[in-house]
């Protein structure tokens, strides 16, 4: 009853917010700032509540402390390396924005605000991951202790920890957007410093999206390499060779494995979805200003179109908070019941957002603009469809994963073949769903530039439930760690049974979260591609006189143009090259881990009898060094590829590059995420007693499949959605620089060969 009253009271306020002062000059970005504070305060309340829970026995606290120290040591080392990168890029951006205009006439190639926006984007992205991981490493032992009381108690602690992550991400995202809007509009614009009209603000803000994406790629990739190196070492040597259970304290890699769950699936994922969230909002804000100008709107109309995506973000915060109160489960709950509990939270938030956004669009822009609401709905529906079918292909409650588990009876080869087949087949529905969402959102609002704005709103709509969607995802690593602590601390079998149920559910929700992030990335990438096209117009005076790229007010991106086609080929291959690099990085780091675990078992035979203590710290160190060393080259590939292509071949080739990377990257990411999730849950299905259960030949084959799937779903796959958006943002930020240098090269060559 309380939930119903809360929901109704909120919806009653929606028309007030929507209709109040819309005829005047009310700036809804102040409401945006309020939404960020609501999210952050709610996160703080939940975090305090988690810390008040019992951390369990001394042994549980000791193990949890090992995990905390390992996670913080990793982040400290990572932030040192990433900090140097951000300083270097700040200097490069500063040179282009502040120094180069002294030597090159005409329009500056970069706004003077860009270097600072880049830094803030990276800072908030890293901060969201840091806070989420800090809470997660405190919640793991408390989840294990709560699970000793009941399944629902364990679910609530783990889910609340995930909710902290979700609320911190959306709260800091809205805060960053609000701060830059307020500074640019109310401080620098009145002073006439670097900005004259409000439609100039969103393109500048895209730069902090680039900073967020850069940090996210380092965090996701580095964390993914770390966690999978540890996981592979623990599984292959511990489970397969030594025949000891998962999370057995005798396994030297078990602490590193638990640390990896946090640095990869919490800190990395938090930074990842932060950049997805802010990227979709600011890209759509930029398109909104252009769409409004195409309608010959006044400043008030432009303001409304710009701010609508951010307002939807605020509505999403409130509705996600309401949705969290619907998540609960009984102690004898099955996997389906637990999934239903999490769905109740997500679906209730979705319905509330759908209703609230109708009133927002109606009040802000009138009934004539309800096509925009339909575009938001297209994104909302698409997100839930992708989530459902991701669950279908990866959960052991459904036939695809059950059939995959059955293939383990004939050995590792057949389960690997089956997983690849399943992953490839699973790409069809997400692609069809995103295509339908694009078509609907484009034509619902009349096509043209307004149609592109509609596609951006679809991405915002899909991510509007991020607060609770991320909560259902981020709770998984906490449950996984809780199971490890329960095993290592020797808690009763009933506790481990409950944590395993939560962990298995976490595998499914994690796969769903990855599908959700990848789907939104495709929509956001298209919006960014449109913004890149608009930025080319800003610098058309720099293009060569014989350029065939622009005709009147249109960009001629003809696929038969060799320069466009070259870009498509470059773009199509980049996700594969990136995945090869990241998979190879995991393999090399895992080799070092396997050798170390084997060495300890050989040199310390007393480990198996409990007489010798494994050297956990050494394994943590190996994963940390391996991750930091291996993450640099793939990350730099994503950042510098569009710049180099733009300078050498020109902006038309970059258009093709972004299109090719978006299409191939989307499909490859879905395939890798779903195949990896299915392999993981097939193993869990066998461990539940099917096909011989633990220690059977089928189980050993499934462990090999899971080992192959780990870097698929936790390293390469999730990074691809960051890759395609980062390349788009880098292209937008450096478009003037690339066009200017490309034109200079062409003129030099013409003079050379004349």
């Amino acid at each position: 009853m309380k939930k119903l009253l809360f929901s109704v009271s909120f919806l009653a306020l929606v028309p007030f917010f929507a209709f109040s002062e819309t005829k005047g000059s009310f700036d809804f970005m102040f409401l945006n700032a309020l939404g960020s504070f609501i999210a952050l305060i709610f996160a703080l309340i939940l975090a305090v509540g988690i810390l008040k829970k019992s951390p369990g026995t001394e042994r549980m606290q000791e193990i949890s402390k090992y995990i905390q120290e390992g996670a913080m040591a990793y982040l400290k080392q990572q932030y040192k390396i990433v900090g140097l990168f951000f300083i270097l890029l700040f200097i490069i951006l500063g040179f282009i924005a502040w120094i180069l205009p002294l030597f090159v006439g005409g329009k500056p190639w970069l706004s003077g605000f860009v270097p600072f926006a880049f830094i803030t984007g990276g800072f908030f992205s890293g901060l969201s991951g840091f806070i989420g991981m800090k809470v997660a490493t405190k919640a793991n032992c408390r989840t294990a202790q709560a699970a000793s009381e009941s399944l629902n108690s364990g679910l609530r602690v783990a889910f609340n920890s995930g909710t902290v992550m979700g609320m911190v991400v959306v709260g800091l995202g809205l805060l960053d957007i609000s701060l830059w809007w307020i500074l640019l509009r109310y401080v620098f614009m009145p002073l006439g410093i670097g900005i004259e009209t409000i439609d100039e603000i969103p393109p500048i803000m895209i730069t902090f999206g680039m900073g967020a994406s850069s940090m996210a790629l380092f965090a996701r990739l580095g964390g993914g390499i770390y966690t999978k190196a540890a996981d592979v070492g623990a599984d292959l040597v511990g489970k397969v060779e030594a025949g000891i259970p998962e999370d057995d304290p005798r396994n030297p890699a078990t602490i590193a494995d638990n640390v990896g769950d946090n640095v990869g699936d919490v800190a990395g994922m938090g930074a990842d979805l932060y950049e997805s969230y802010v990227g979709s909002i600011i890209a759509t804000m930029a398109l909104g200003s252009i769409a409004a100008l195409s309608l010959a709107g006044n400043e008030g109309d432009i303001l409304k179109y710009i701010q609508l995506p951010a307002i939807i973000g605020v509505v999403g915060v409130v509705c996600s908070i309401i949705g969290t109160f619907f998540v609960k489960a009984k102690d004898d709950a099955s996997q389906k019941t637990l999934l239903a509990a999490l769905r109740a939270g997500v679906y209730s938030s979705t319905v509330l957002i759908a209703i609230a956004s109708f009133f927002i669009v109606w009040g802000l822009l009138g009934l004539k603009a309800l096509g925009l609401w339909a575009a938001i709905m297209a994104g909302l529906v698409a997100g839930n469809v992708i989530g459902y079918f991701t669950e279908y292909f990866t959960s052991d409650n459904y036939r695809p994963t059950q059939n995959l588990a059955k293939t383990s009876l004939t050995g590792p080869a057949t389960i690997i073949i089956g997983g690849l087949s399943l992953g490839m087949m699973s790409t069809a529905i997400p692609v069809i769903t995103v295509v339908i969402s694009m078509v609907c959102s484009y034509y619902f609002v009349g096509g043209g530039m307004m149609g592109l704005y509609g596609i951006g709103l679809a991405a915002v709509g899909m991510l509007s439930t991020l607060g609770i969607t991320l909560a259902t995802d981020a709770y998984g690593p906490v449950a996984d760690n809780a199971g490890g602590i329960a095993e290592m601390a020797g808690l009763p079998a009933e506790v481990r049974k409950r944590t395993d149920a939560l962990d298995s559910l976490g595998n499914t929700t994690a796969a769903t979260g990855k599908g959700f992030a990848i789907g939104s990335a495709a929509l956001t990438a298209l919006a960014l591609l449109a913004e890149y096209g608009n930025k080319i117009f800003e610098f058309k005076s720099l293009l060569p006189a014989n350029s065939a790229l622009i005709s009147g007010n249109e960009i001629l991106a003809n696929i038969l143009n060799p320069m466009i086609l070259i870009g498509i080929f470059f773009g199509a291959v980049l996700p594969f090259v990136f995945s090869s690099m990241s998979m190879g990085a995991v393999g090399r780091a895992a080799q070092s881990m396997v050798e170390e675990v084997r060495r300890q078992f050989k040199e310390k035979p007393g480990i198996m009898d409990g007489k010798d203590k494994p050297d956990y710290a050494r394994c943590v160190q190996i994963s940390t060094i391996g991750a930091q060393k291996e993450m640099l080259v793939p990350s730099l590939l994503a950042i510098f590829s569009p710049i180099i292509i733009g300078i050498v071949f020109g902006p038309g080739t970059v258009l093709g590059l972004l299109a090719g990377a978006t299409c191939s990257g989307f499909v490859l990411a879905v395939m890798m995420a779903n195949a990896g999730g299915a392999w993981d849950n097939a193993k869990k299905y066998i461990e539940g007693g099917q096909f011989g259960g633990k220690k059977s030949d089928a189980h050993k084959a499934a462990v090999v499949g899971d080992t192959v799937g780990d870097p698929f779903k936790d390293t390469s796959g999730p990074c691809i959605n960051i890759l395609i958006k980062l390349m788009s943002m880098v292209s937008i930020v450096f478009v003037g620089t690339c066009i200017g240098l490309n034109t200079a090269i062409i003129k030099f060559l013409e003079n050379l060969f004349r």
Side-chain angles (χ1 to χ4, degrees):
M1 187 64 183
K2 290 182 179 179
K3 299 168 194 173
L4 180 62
L5 289 173
F6 188 20
S7 303
V8 171
S9 63
F10 165 68
L11 292 174
L13 292 173
V14 169
F16 171 77
F17 284 122
F19 285 102
S20 66
E21 299 192 66
T22 55
K23 302 300 182 183
S25 58
F26 179 75
D27 195 330
F28 281 94
M29 279 300 173
F30 293 107
L31 182 62
N32 201 59
L34 177 63
S36 73
F37 289 127
I38 291 173
L40 295 173
I41 290 170
F42 187 67
L44 179 62
I45 293 170
L46 290 180
V48 171
I50 291 169
L51 295 177
K52 287 182 178 179
K53 300 289 184 180
S54 172
T57 65
E58 289 187 12
R59 176 60 177 163
M60 292 167 67
Q61 294 179 54
E62 180 187 6
I63 298 167
S64 181
K65 188 178 179 182
Y66 285 144
I67 297 170
Q68 291 171 41
E69 290 174 349
M72 297 311 299
Y74 170 82
L75 279 191
K76 185 178 179 181
Q77 183 64 26
Q78 183 182 65
Y79 287 163
K80 283 182 181 178
I81 295 173
V82 175
L84 292 173
F85 166 79
F86 269 78
I87 291 171
L88 176 62
L89 209 57
F90 178 86
I91 294 171
I92 294 172
L93 292 169
F95 175 80
I96 297 172
W98 306 321
I99 307 300
L100 202 59
L102 301 177
F103 303 95
V104 181
K107 179 182 173 67
W109 292 354
L110 275 181
S111 168
F113 299 108
V114 161
F116 299 104
F118 174 74
I119 292 293
T120 64
F123 173 77
F124 280 110
S125 178
L127 182 62
S128 63
F130 176 83
I131 294 173
M133 195 199 69
K134 194 77 172 176
V135 174
T137 55
K138 295 284 187 182
N140 50 24
C141 58
R142 290 168 170 83
T143 299
Q145 178 62 27
S148 66
E149 301 169 8
S150 69
L151 179 64
N152 187 57
S153 297
L155 174 65
R156 287 306 314 180
V157 175
F159 180 75
N160 284 349
S161 173
T163 304
V164 171
M165 178 85 266
M167 289 298 145
V168 166
V169 165
V170 297
L172 290 179
L174 293 175
L175 180 63
D176 201 5
I177 293 170
S178 303
L179 287 175
W180 270 104
W181 178 270
I182 291 169
L183 280 171
L184 292 172
R185 189 184 184 197
Y186 295 103
V187 178
F188 293 105
M189 189 173 149
L191 295 174
I193 302 175
I195 186 168
E196 297 178 358
T197 57
I198 58 172
D199 60 284
E200 297 176 30
I201 298 177
I204 294 172
M205 294 169 67
I206 284 178
T207 314
F208 79 72
M210 187 182 91
S213 294
S214 300
M215 173 59 78
L217 188 59
F218 280 114
R220 194 57 142 154
L221 182 58
I225 295 170
Y226 182 109
T227 184
K228 293 307 107 182
D231 202 2
V232 169
D235 283 354
L236 285 185
V237 185
K239 285 185 180 179
V240 178
E241 295 181 8
I244 58 178
E246 186 172 6
D247 298 315
D248 193 295
R250 295 171 293 178
N251 194 329
T254 190
I255 294 294
D257 187 12
N258 284 310
V259 170
D261 291 334
N262 292 285
V263 300
D265 294 337
V266 179
M269 179 179 59
D272 175 0
L273 287 171
Y274 175 90
E275 69 85 22
S276 295
Y277 186 69
V278 298
S280 68
I281 291 176
I282 58 179
T284 308
M285 289 172 65
L287 289 175
S289 65
I290 301 168
L293 287 170
S294 70
L295 297 176
N298 55 37
E299 182 174 300
D301 292 331
I302 295 172
L303 186 64
K304 292 172 184 178
Y305 280 98
I306 290 175
Q307 295 185 341
L308 178 60
I311 298 171
I312 298 302
V314 176
V315 172
V317 166
V318 179
C319 294
S320 292
I321 291 174
I322 296 172
T324 62
F325 294 103
F326 288 85
V327 179
K328 59 182 180 179
K330 296 180 179 179
D331 199 49
D332 59 347
S334 64
Q335 280 294 303
K336 286 188 176 181
T337 306
L338 288 172
L339 274 171
L342 294 181
R343 280 182 191 158
V346 175
Y347 290 167
S348 61
S349 298
T350 300
V351 171
L352 290 173
I353 291 171
I355 298 171
S357 60
F358 173 84
F359 288 106
I360 293 293
V361 173
W362 178 18
L364 201 62
L365 296 164
L367 288 173
K368 67 180 187 301
L370 286 185
L372 298 176
W373 174 76
I376 296 169
M377 288 298 301
L380 269 174
V381 173
N384 282 278
V385 170
I386 291 172
Y388 175 81
F389 280 100
T390 301
E391 177 191 319
Y392 173 77
F393 280 104
T394 59
S395 173
D396 60 14
N397 289 316
Y398 300 99
R399 188 166 293 176
T401 298
Q402 292 173 0
N403 289 340
L404 178 62
K406 190 175 181 179
T407 64
S408 64
L409 293 170
T410 49
T414 49
I415 196 171
I416 290 172
I417 293 170
L420 290 172
S421 172
L422 183 151
M424 292 175 185
M425 181 59 70
S426 71
T427 62
I429 293 177
V431 168
I432 293 170
T433 301
V434 168
V435 167
I436 293 174
S437 177
M438 284 182 179
V439 171
C440 291
S441 56
Y442 183 82
Y443 288 105
F444 282 160
V445 297
M449 183 54 65
M450 188 59 68
L452 295 173
Y453 178 60
I455 292 174
L457 283 177
V460 172
M462 188 179 290
L463 287 166
S464 61
T465 59
L466 184 62
I468 189 166
T469 303
L470 184 52
T472 65
D473 191 346
Y475 107 97
V478 176
D480 192 0
N481 272 198
I485 291 171
E487 182 73 32
M488 288 184 278
L491 297 184
E494 182 65 21
V495 179
R496 184 60 200 254
K497 182 180 178 182
R498 291 168 180 165
T499 58
D500 279 351
L502 295 175
D503 182 25
S504 182
L505 177 65
N507 288 330
T508 299
T509 57
T512 302
K514 292 181 180 76
F516 178 79
I518 295 164
S520 67
L523 293 173
T524 302
L526 184 59
L528 290 168
L529 186 61
E531 176 59 20
Y532 177 73
N534 294 322
K535 292 294 289 186
I536 292 175
F537 275 103
E538 288 189 26
F539 294 94
K540 62 182 180 181
S541 61
L542 297 177
L543 289 169
N546 60 347
S547 175
L549 188 61
I550 292 179
S551 176
N553 293 321
E554 293 184 353
I555 292 181
L556 302 179
N558 189 340
I559 195 173
L560 298 179
N561 183 336
M563 302 308 292
I564 302 289
L565 196 57
I566 288 170
I568 292 174
F569 275 112
F570 275 137
V573 80
L574 267 176
F576 288 88
V577 174
F578 177 85
S579 298
S580 173
M581 287 180 169
S582 55
M583 293 279 287
V586 171
R588 289 186 292 273
Q591 279 183 316
S592 300
M593 183 64 70
V594 168
E595 290 169 2
E596 173 61 22
V597 176
R598 285 174 175 168
R599 183 193 67 80
Q600 291 197 34
F601 279 139
K602 183 179 179 180
E603 296 180 4
K604 296 181 178 180
I607 289 177
M608 296 300 291
D609 300 326
K611 296 177 181 178
D612 288 330
K613 187 177 180 182
D615 187 353
Y616 300 126
R618 176 59 183 160
C619 291
V620 171
Q621 185 185 30
I622 287 174
S623 267
T624 300
I625 294 172
Q628 302 302 320
K629 179 183 176 182
E630 297 285 357
M631 73 177 184
L632 287 174
V633 175
S635 299
L636 294 176
L637 174 74
I639 294 168
F640 289 105
S641 289
I643 298 175
I644 295 170
I645 294 293
I647 293 172
V648 176
F649 295 98
T653 305
V654 175
L655 275 173
L657 176 84
L658 299 179
T662 299
C663 293
S664 74
F666 175 45
V667 176
L668 182 61
V670 172
M671 188 280 290
M672 297 182 90
N674 289 350
W679 273 317
D680 196 349
N681 278 330
K683 179 197 69 175
K684 290 277 195 307
Y685 186 64
I686 294 171
E687 289 175 346
Q690 304 295 322
F691 309 120
K694 292 182 180 180
K695 297 185 180 181
S696 66
D697 289 341
H699 182 237
K700 290 179 180 179
V703 170
V704 174
D706 180 38
T707 304
V708 174
D710 274 339
F712 267 48
K713 67 181 176 68
D714 291 327
T715 306
S716 299
C719 288
I720 293 175
N721 78 82
I722 307 173
L723 173 78
I724 60 180
K725 286 177 292 184
L726 178 57
M727 288 171 59
S728 297
M729 290 184 183
V730 169
S731 300
I732 292 170
V733 171
F734 286 94
V735 62
T737 307
C738 291
I739 292 176
L741 293 177
N742 176 254
T743 302
I745 291 172
I746 292 173
K747 288 180 179 179
F748 173 78
L749 293 174
E750 287 176 348
N751 292 329
L752 184 65
F753 294 103
R754 184 171 292 172

